[in-house]
Amino acid sequence: MVALALGVLIRIDGFEFSGMSPMLWHALMVGWITQIIIGVSTWMFPGRNKEENFLNQKWEWIAFGGLNIGLPLRFLAEPMATAFEPSIWSYLLIASSILQFIGILSYVVGIWPRVQSKEQRRKNRAKASG
Amino acid sequence: MPLVSRILIKASLIYLLVGLLIGVLMLINKAVFISPVFWFLIPAHIEIMIFGWIIQFTMGVAYWILPRYLKDKGRGSAKLANLVPILLNAGIILVVISDLMAWNGAALTGRVFELSAVLIFMVLHWKRVVTYNK
């Protein structure tokens, strides 16, 4: 919704502001596509611990937090940092990039061992059941 | 999960981290100007994130999860399937090298490799997009 709204606004004279185009593309590619990939793969890849608690899903929660704080923070800080540099907004922009980095890294750490063959899955199940 | 899917998905996760790292560097450069060199990384960032991450991940999951043939090999020719990650990744690397070094020949070859990978992917999956309910 945000990406599409930005796509409409960017075409209207007087609404455009600095950093609007990267904001649109990152809302679409990170905010929507990447997050839907993360959500669906977390759900359907083999090896998910079905008991829902923070400890079992820590990597996914860190990914969720990192991306959903980092991305809106970027959307706020990027135009402000351009308008009022150098300022606190520049540091918030750096913070937003680090938060997104932590979020994605956390997703990769969580999903990597779940990319496994049937044979690996069988072995892991056998190991888990003792 | 078959080997081809595992290769495509793990390669896509590596591209995701590389593309992300480039993005982080560009954003930090925007906040605290370090060098104009970072702006030349934009085409490589886009190529890595779209072809390396999103498209490659999608292809890996589709090869694994689309309905399989009821007879013979469930996912079609294994030899053809093995070509998909090879051609796609050779293509992406060539395009990224060309973006970084302004080498047009590599970009053209890279795009041809990417196109070949996608055509093979289409041939392999076209008849797997089916319903078993008639």
Side-chain angles (χ1 to χ4, degrees):
Chain A
M1 290 299 289
V2 170
L4 290 177
L6 284 167
V8 171
L9 289 177
I10 209 167
R11 295 285 169 191
I12 300 172
D13 288 338
F15 274 105
E16 204 174 345
F17 53 85
S18 171
M20 197 173 186
S21 180
M23 191 188 285
L24 189 166
W25 289 112
H26 285 85
L28 191 68
M29 306 307 284
V30 182
W32 182 56
I33 295 181
T34 296
Q35 285 208 83
I36 205 167
I37 288 176
I38 290 176
V40 172
S41 59
T42 297
W43 158 55
M44 62 174 254
F45 274 29
R48 178 166 65 99
N49 191 330
K50 285 176 184 163
E51 197 180 318
E52 294 209 359
N53 62 50
F54 179 78
L55 209 62
N56 280 346
Q57 300 167 328
K58 58 183 176 298
W59 299 120
E60 292 77 12
W61 278 112
I62 295 168
F64 175 76
L67 285 176
N68 288 288
I69 299 169
L71 200 59
L73 186 59
R74 176 196 173 154
F75 293 163
L76 192 65
E78 194 171 8
M80 299 302 270
T82 313
F84 306 109
E85 61 179 334
S87 67
I88 185 73
W89 295 106
S90 300
Y91 297 105
L92 287 174
L93 190 55
I94 294 172
S96 81
S97 70
I98 293 168
L99 280 167
Q100 289 177 78
F101 180 80
I102 291 169
I104 293 289
L105 185 65
S106 171
Y107 164 68
V108 173
V109 168
I111 208 75
W112 188 273
R114 291 174 58 190
V115 182
Q116 50 186 244
S117 65
K118 260 188 188 166
E119 188 58 33
Q120 289 167 321
R121 173 131 179 73
R122 234 174 264 137
K123 276 183 191 167
N124 288 344
R125 264 192 197 155
K127 215 185 273 179
S129 62
Chain B
M1 200 183 284
L3 179 65
V4 170
S5 286
R6 298 201 309 273
I7 293 171
L8 287 167
I9 292 169
K10 286 200 168 174
S12 77
L13 293 172
I14 293 168
Y15 280 112
L16 172 64
L17 288 178
V18 174
L20 172 74
L21 200 61
I22 295 172
V24 167
L25 290 174
M26 287 193 299
L27 212 52
I28 290 173
N29 190 55
K30 203 169 197 177
V32 188
F33 185 76
I34 303 165
S35 163
V37 167
F38 289 104
W39 298 119
F40 293 103
L41 296 174
I42 291 176
H45 174 65
I46 294 170
E47 176 74 18
I48 288 170
M49 288 313 232
I50 293 181
F51 285 87
W53 158 233
I54 292 171
I55 293 177
Q56 182 150 220
F57 188 95
T58 308
M59 287 165 86
V61 172
Y63 184 72
W64 166 46
I65 213 148
L66 282 177
R68 279 174 279 172
Y69 299 119
L70 297 173
K71 289 178 185 171
D72 302 324
K73 289 174 182 171
R75 293 183 175 91
S77 164
K79 279 182 188 167
L80 271 183
N82 289 337
L83 282 176
V84 173
I86 295 170
L87 286 169
L88 183 67
N89 286 292
I92 294 166
I93 290 166
L94 280 173
V95 172
V96 169
I97 288 172
S98 115
D99 285 339
L100 296 176
M101 301 182 143
W103 181 20
N104 269 342
L108 180 62
T109 314
R111 289 286 183 226
V112 170
F113 281 178
E114 287 174 355
L115 176 66
S116 312
V118 171
L119 283 175
I120 294 170
F121 177 83
M122 271 181 67
V123 167
L124 282 168
H125 291 80
W126 193 265
K127 288 184 177 171
R128 288 178 63 190
V129 184
V130 292
T131 175
Y132 294 126
N133 301 318
K134 286 189 178 176

